Amino acid sequence: MSTHTQTHGHDEHHEIGPKTLIMVWLALTVLTVVTIYIALYDFGRALNIIGAMTIASIKASIVAYYFMHLKFEDKLTWVYALYPMFLLFLLIATTIMETFTRNPALY
Amino acid sequence: MANGTAHDTMAEPSFYEPKGFMSWLLTTDHKRIGIMYLVTISFFFLVGGVFALLMRYELLTPEADFLSPHTYNVFFTMHGSLMVFFFIVPGVAASLGNFLIPLMIGARDVAFPKLNLGSYWVYLAGTAILFGALLQPADTGWTYYTPYSVQSQTDVVLITLGVFVLGFSSILTGMNFIVTIHKLRCPGMTWSRLPLFIWASYATAILQLLATPVVGITLLLLIAERTLGIGFFDPAKGGDPILFQNFFWFYSHPAVYIMVIPAFGIISEIIPVFAKKPIFGYKAIAYSSFAIAIISFFVWLHHMFVSGISETAAAIFSFLTMLVAIPTAIKVFNWTATMYRGSISLESPMLYALSFLFLFTIGGLTGVYLGALAVDVHLHDTYFVVAHMHYVMIGGTVFGFFGAIHFWYSKWFGRMFNELVAKIAWFFFFVGFNVTFFPQFFMGVQGMPRRYATYPAEFQTYHEISTYGSWILAVGVVIMFVNLIAGLFSKEKAPVNQYGSLSLEFTVPSPPPHENFKDIPTVTDWTYGYGKK
């Protein structure tokens, strides 16, 4: 096991207090309940999916921001966290664009 | 020496000490882990190669007289899966990257040594699952396209599970390398002094980190589709089989660059040493690796031009595909310019590097043909594609990889192979490769489809030439492996700097000690100041 003499970057430890952690946990719990609750109603297929995905995205963001300490990270880490969001958008947008521009005569 | 100073580590034991099986299995030394990857991927390369030889033997005649069509399907699935997921993807990035990155940036190890060992174990777990899959091997091809992969009676779940597990190894390795390159560069190793292999490894790591999860999820969806019948890819249940192709190629096109960008880095290291010239266009080569990494995410639909996708999407992606040729050509022109008026010596690593330039250019340009929408409609799923991808994968990645093995062999093992035998092996490999794959361009243009055990008699001559070529190629590989293994037992110890490289890894003994550098070096100059008086 190497014992590095190189110490780069920020080594300080960030801690999130119990109050914040409980608030985050409560928020996640409430959002889970909301996800289940709206699934019981038929808002139309598209709206149901958009609603569920929006809540899931908010929950994932909260987890990343607090539990995964993104809150304390530098800009580069944010780039690595946000770039996949762009790729996800690219994948979804392109797939939808491709589907909606298909020649209807072939399908 | 331009880069820092040679450090007095000669008295320290090499990283091969202590000996013993467990000391290897539990090691966190990046060099040992690199060697373990090297041995494992070499094994899979040889096994995948045997599958290829058996397929080529079957194709000597138009009839299926050696392998049944089903067995043939299984063989090309295993050949593709082994070569892509178990050899090339982890090959250059994990084996060479592990060994070289800390040495080249003046670090004692990677940023997370235990995670590094964990990545290797995850890789081994993936290979173990693959062996389980051999009991009833899949016949889907390495792309596992739906709907056939959902319907096939073979064990698609196990092989895709193996690849899924393997993906974690790739992601963790990529993350480890990114952090290592950011955090552990020695004093003076600024971004503008970084060896180009490091730039290439960084670009590769980005792809590993960001693209691999997509294929992981895709294969998980496929497994769920087969086991639970959910219907993601089933039109009868509101799904779409083309969705699988979208997901699969969203990873697998960038994966082509996971395979080949490290080879770009290798070529950038080898050519200046043997041309005795500073690298031409350092920044252009460095940045073009990133340009390729970024653009590679925007081209995946070109694999699906004839899958029934919309013409609008196809036209857009045909244009985008052309863009990736620009940074790639920038590299090729810069390597060529580096050699201009250089004092070139043709030792074995340089022979592989020059072969790379020649063969990868053919592979790249034929890729432009296939990216052209109208041409692709004619050539899709023909042997033209087989030839193109092998000119990129073997002509590019494998030639680069073999060049690297020869170039850094003395550093890895502290011994030397026989140079004359290495040149003979290269000759057989180079000739065999071209005899095998060049006729496949002609076959493809004339309409010979890929993935068939039988074919019309008019293609037999081409297939015969191709099969004879595969035998020549195999002779080259065998000679090379025997020579490299024999070199391990040679009594003559390799010097610290076999070829006069200015890179930091050649300032430490061969093989290096455990933590590479007694004192962390300070870099004072550019890595590529060759030929300066």
Side-chain angles (χ1 to χ4, degrees):
Chain A
M1 169 76 197
S2 78
T3 49
H4 294 241
T5 57
Q6 295 144 318
T7 51
H8 302 266
H10 57 105
D11 292 334
E12 63 267 39
H13 290 282
H14 299 286
E15 287 189 7
I16 302 174
K19 189 179 168 187
T20 310
L21 289 175
I22 291 169
M23 291 296 287
V24 170
W25 174 72
L26 277 175
L28 292 172
T29 309
V30 168
L31 287 170
T32 305
V33 172
V34 173
T35 307
I36 296 167
Y37 189 73
I38 65 165
L40 300 174
Y41 294 90
D42 185 8
F43 297 107
R45 193 175 171 191
L47 276 179
N48 271 76
I49 291 173
I50 290 170
M53 293 296 284
T54 305
I55 295 171
S57 302
I58 293 168
K59 287 168 69 181
S61 303
I62 292 172
V63 169
Y65 193 72
Y66 290 104
F67 290 164
M68 298 175 77
H69 286 207
L70 208 50
K71 184 182 178 188
F72 306 111
E73 293 299 340
D74 56 15
K75 285 178 184 169
L76 184 73
T77 311
W78 275 91
V79 169
Y80 274 101
L82 292 178
Y83 190 60
M85 299 296 112
F86 165 70
L87 293 179
L88 183 65
F89 168 77
L90 179 74
L91 179 62
I92 293 172
T94 305
T95 310
I96 291 173
M97 181 273 288
E98 187 276 309
T99 307
F100 281 99
T101 54
R102 285 181 192 172
N103 183 354
L106 298 174
Y107 290 89
Chain B
M1 194 149 300
N3 258 324
T5 51
H7 295 271
D8 182 22
T9 45
M10 302 297 278
E12 294 180 33
S14 84
F15 71 95
Y16 288 103
E17 301 294 337
K19 292 183 168 60
F21 192 60
M22 291 309 289
S23 73
W24 279 81
L25 287 186
L26 300 177
T27 184
T28 51
D29 188 317
H30 67 100
K31 301 178 288 299
R32 284 190 169 205
I33 293 170
I35 285 182
M36 291 196 290
Y37 271 115
L38 182 70
V39 171
T40 319
I41 62 162
S42 298
F43 170 75
F44 284 112
F45 172 72
L46 293 175
V47 176
V50 169
F51 278 117
L53 286 171
L54 294 173
M55 282 190 291
R56 285 290 351 144
Y57 186 69
E58 162 54 42
L59 292 167
L60 257 181
T61 62
E63 303 304 322
D65 37 20
F66 173 60
L67 301 173
S68 71
H70 172 73
T71 310
Y72 184 84
N73 292 351
V74 166
F75 277 26
F76 72 63
T77 302
M78 295 311 296
H79 169 71
S81 298
L82 287 175
M83 288 301 202
V84 171
F85 295 113
F86 292 82
F87 166 60
I88 295 190
V89 167
V92 187
S95 65
L96 286 170
N98 256 306
F99 190 85
L100 290 173
I101 288 174
L103 282 166
M104 282 182 142
I105 64 172
R108 293 207 160 103
D109 207 318
V110 293
F112 308 113
K114 286 181 181 172
L115 188 68
N116 199 23
L117 178 64
S119 305
Y120 177 73
W121 278 101
V122 170
Y123 171 75
L124 273 193
T127 64
I129 296 171
L130 176 86
F131 278 115
L134 289 175
L135 294 174
Q136 198 185 2
D139 62 348
T140 57
W142 72 275
T143 51
Y144 317 113
Y145 269 13
T146 57
Y148 184 66
S149 56
V150 178
Q151 298 160 354
S152 171
Q153 299 302 308
T154 58
D155 199 343
V156 178
V157 170
L158 216 48
I159 192 168
T160 47
L161 188 66
V163 175
F164 174 76
V165 171
L166 209 64
F168 282 96
S169 166
S170 200
I171 293 166
L172 296 174
T173 300
M175 189 194 70
N176 215 338
F177 287 173
I178 287 173
V179 179
T180 302
I181 294 168
H182 270 286
K183 299 291 185 185
L184 297 186
R185 283 175 287 122
C186 65
M189 184 60 85
T190 58
W191 288 96
S192 58
R193 285 178 184 161
L194 269 187
L196 287 163
F197 180 79
I198 301 299
W199 278 99
S201 296
Y202 189 93
T204 307
I206 291 174
L207 293 174
Q208 287 179 298
L209 186 68
L210 301 184
T212 313
V214 181
V215 80
I217 294 296
T218 309
L219 297 176
L220 215 53
L221 291 178
L222 175 61
I223 292 169
E225 187 90 340
R226 274 186 71 97
T227 52
L228 305 173
I230 293 175
F232 298 117
F233 311 119
D234 184 357
K237 296 178 180 173
D240 185 352
I242 292 180
L243 184 66
F244 178 87
Q245 296 186 26
N246 266 306
F247 285 177
F248 184 83
W249 288 114
F250 191 82
Y251 160 79
S252 293
H253 195 80
V256 171
Y257 297 102
I258 292 176
M259 303 175 214
V260 80
I261 290 178
F264 293 161
I266 292 165
I267 302 306
S268 302
E269 296 302 324
I270 291 177
I271 285 180
V273 173
F274 291 94
K276 297 174 187 65
K277 286 261 315 280
I279 190 88
F280 187 89
Y282 170 87
K283 284 187 178 174
I285 294 177
Y287 297 159
S288 60
S289 291
F290 280 80
I292 292 169
I294 292 168
I295 297 171
S296 71
F297 279 107
F298 299 87
V299 300
W300 80 91
L301 273 180
H302 71 218
H303 292 273
M304 301 157 58
F305 284 160
V306 299
S307 296
I309 63 170
S310 86
E311 290 170 7
T312 308
I316 293 170
F317 275 75
S318 180
F319 168 74
L320 290 172
T321 299
M322 299 301 160
L323 293 181
V324 85
I326 297 170
T328 313
I330 285 172
K331 286 181 183 296
V332 172
F333 285 129
N334 279 307
W335 292 324
T336 311
T338 302
M339 289 186 290
Y340 177 65
R341 301 188 73 175
S343 177
I344 295 173
S345 55
L346 293 176
E347 284 157 285
S348 51
M350 187 60 164
L351 291 175
Y352 280 104
L354 291 174
S355 309
F356 170 99
L357 278 185
F358 177 67
L359 301 173
F360 180 76
T361 302
I362 294 175
L365 286 175
T366 51
V368 175
Y369 294 3
L370 291 167
L373 192 51
V375 181
D376 184 71
V377 171
H378 176 70
L379 296 174
H380 188 89
D381 265 351
T382 68
Y383 263 73
F384 192 92
V385 178
V386 178
H388 154 70
M389 69 182 266
H390 281 87
Y391 265 85
V392 173
M393 297 291 93
I394 301 181
T397 308
V398 176
F399 269 87
F401 183 56
F402 286 174
I405 299 290
H406 287 79
F407 184 57
W408 281 290
Y409 183 91
S410 60
K411 194 55 59 186
W412 289 63
F413 303 111
R415 296 285 188 276
M416 270 311 285
F417 51 84
N418 184 302
E419 177 62 22
L420 176 64
V421 178
K423 286 179 177 172
I424 292 169
W426 163 82
F427 177 78
F428 275 96
F429 190 55
F430 180 77
V431 171
F433 171 78
N434 283 290
V435 175
T436 304
F437 291 103
F438 204 70
Q440 296 183 2
F441 284 123
F442 297 102
M443 269 194 273
V445 169
Q446 291 172 28
M448 171 72 208
R450 64 194 290 201
R451 294 178 172 154
Y452 281 87
T454 59
Y455 55 85
E458 67 198 75
F459 293 113
Q460 185 168 6
T461 305
Y462 288 128
H463 274 297
E464 282 178 353
I465 294 170
S466 191
T467 300
Y468 297 146
S470 70
W471 297 348
I472 300 170
L473 188 156
V475 168
V477 171
V478 170
I479 294 173
M480 187 195 75
F481 268 88
V482 169
N483 187 36
L484 293 179
I485 291 168
L488 299 178
F489 301 98
S490 111
K491 288 179 181 169
E492 191 184 347
K493 289 189 175 178
V496 169
N497 196 348
Q498 179 77 16
Y499 298 114
S501 169
L502 298 179
S503 192
L504 209 51
E505 74 274 19
F506 285 100
T507 62
V508 297
S510 306
H514 269 284
E515 293 192 337
N516 304 337
F517 305 94
K518 188 176 179 184
D519 302 308
I520 294 298
T522 299
V523 173
T524 55
D525 203 356
W526 195 42
T527 312
Y528 299 101
Y530 297 98
K532 286 182 181 172
K533 304 209 172 161

